[in-house]
Amino acid sequence: MITSDSVNGVARRGGLGPTARLRARRRGRRDAARGVPRIAFTVAAAPPGGGPDGMPPSIEPPAPEVLITPYVMEVRTAARRATEQLRSSLIGREQALISRLRAESVRVVTQYDVREDPRPAALARYGLWVGQWRTSVDRCRSHAQAVVDQANQRLACYWDGVRAAHPHFGRLARRPPGDWLPGRVELDPSWHRPDIWLLADDEHARTATSRALQILERQNTYRADGRSAR
């Protein structure tokens, strides 16, 4: 059951404390003072007659994907490792449920595809277990998303420090947009497809589990349309 305490705990883990923010900004300023990132910025075309008041031409920011500093890699790697550990812990914790689902998948496929004798009650029980699995993944995903959000907050503070101290950023032709965050961390898409972790090795195809999930989905579709599942 998801309680207010668990929700608040996730929210706390998703936040970044003042000390961590200060350290990230300090690292950004320190890197900027050393010329990191070491990227050749593109000089913007100067207007006819040169820049105003003899100012040097402005420069264009490099593409975000090339602004991957050691600190950015450190944050991204730590976040990826943490989310992978969460996934491994989830699978280990729910191993009994996963084994039960895989065994029941064989029975569902045998009953519906081999014997062609649908048993809605058995399929409903199977659907209940699938729902339990998906709920467990949803809860774990909230923790994984908190890890990702915290990593992105850390990167945002870091880049604030870089922009404040890097000699090139003061000459940008235009300010980066508000969502500019080179090296942004994203949650692995598989977190939004929890059933894929139930499958053995073959990416959805030729397993009893994948076929049983298809049968369950068809049953739910028929019910939503008010038709028989047979």
Side-chain angles (χ1 to χ4, degrees):
M1 181 176 64
I2 301 177
T3 65
S4 59
D5 288 341
S6 64
V7 172
N8 292 336
V10 172
R12 286 193 297 271
R13 281 186 290 274
L16 195 64
T19 301
R21 292 176 183 273
L22 178 62
R23 287 176 178 172
R25 287 193 176 93
R26 186 178 297 163
R27 174 64 181 269
R29 289 193 295 269
R30 186 166 65 247
D31 280 358
R34 294 168 35 237
V36 176
R38 302 184 187 280
I39 300 296
F41 284 59
T42 303
V43 178
D53 302 326
M55 292 292 291
S58 59
I59 58 177
E60 297 286 344
E65 60 268 17
V66 301
L67 293 174
I68 305 300
T69 69
Y71 181 80
V72 173
M73 288 299 299
E74 175 186 330
V75 172
R76 288 168 59 88
T77 300
R80 183 170 60 250
R81 184 185 305 117
T83 56
E84 282 299 311
Q85 288 173 347
L86 283 171
R87 185 179 75 92
S88 297
S89 296
L90 168 69
I91 292 175
R93 187 169 60 250
E94 299 293 350
Q95 190 57 52
L97 176 60
I98 293 173
S99 297
R100 187 186 312 142
L101 279 167
R102 287 174 175 166
E104 191 66 18
S105 294
V106 175
R107 298 188 185 95
V108 168
V109 172
T110 300
Q111 201 67 40
Y112 277 76
D113 286 353
V114 179
R115 298 176 182 171
E116 297 184 347
D117 182 20
R119 297 295 176 88
L123 189 61
R125 182 177 64 248
Y126 178 74
L128 177 63
W129 293 338
V130 171
Q132 291 175 357
W133 161 252
R134 291 172 178 172
T135 298
S136 293
V137 176
D138 286 344
R139 293 184 62 187
C140 192
R141 183 173 63 237
S142 68
H143 294 279
Q145 187 63 55
V147 170
V148 168
D149 292 343
Q150 188 180 83
N152 285 328
Q153 290 177 59
R154 198 179 299 272
L155 289 177
C157 292
Y158 169 78
W159 285 114
D160 278 347
V162 170
R163 283 186 290 188
H166 201 290
H168 284 163
F169 278 89
R171 297 167 50 203
L172 288 178
R174 60 183 184 278
R175 292 182 62 84
D179 61 350
W180 185 81
L181 189 64
R184 179 188 301 273
V185 181
E186 302 285 352
L187 196 60
D188 188 285
S190 66
W191 281 97
H192 300 281
R193 300 164 59 198
D195 293 350
I196 197 173
W197 295 343
L198 294 174
L199 307 181
D201 301 307
D202 64 356
E203 291 290 328
H204 303 290
R206 298 185 303 278
T207 67
T209 304
S210 63
R211 176 57 186 151
L213 290 170
Q214 292 172 4
I215 294 171
L216 178 64
E217 184 63 29
R218 184 182 64 189
Q219 168 88 354
N220 292 337
T221 300
Y222 283 153
R223 283 182 174 176
D225 293 342
R227 294 181 287 169
S228 170
R230 185 167 181 101

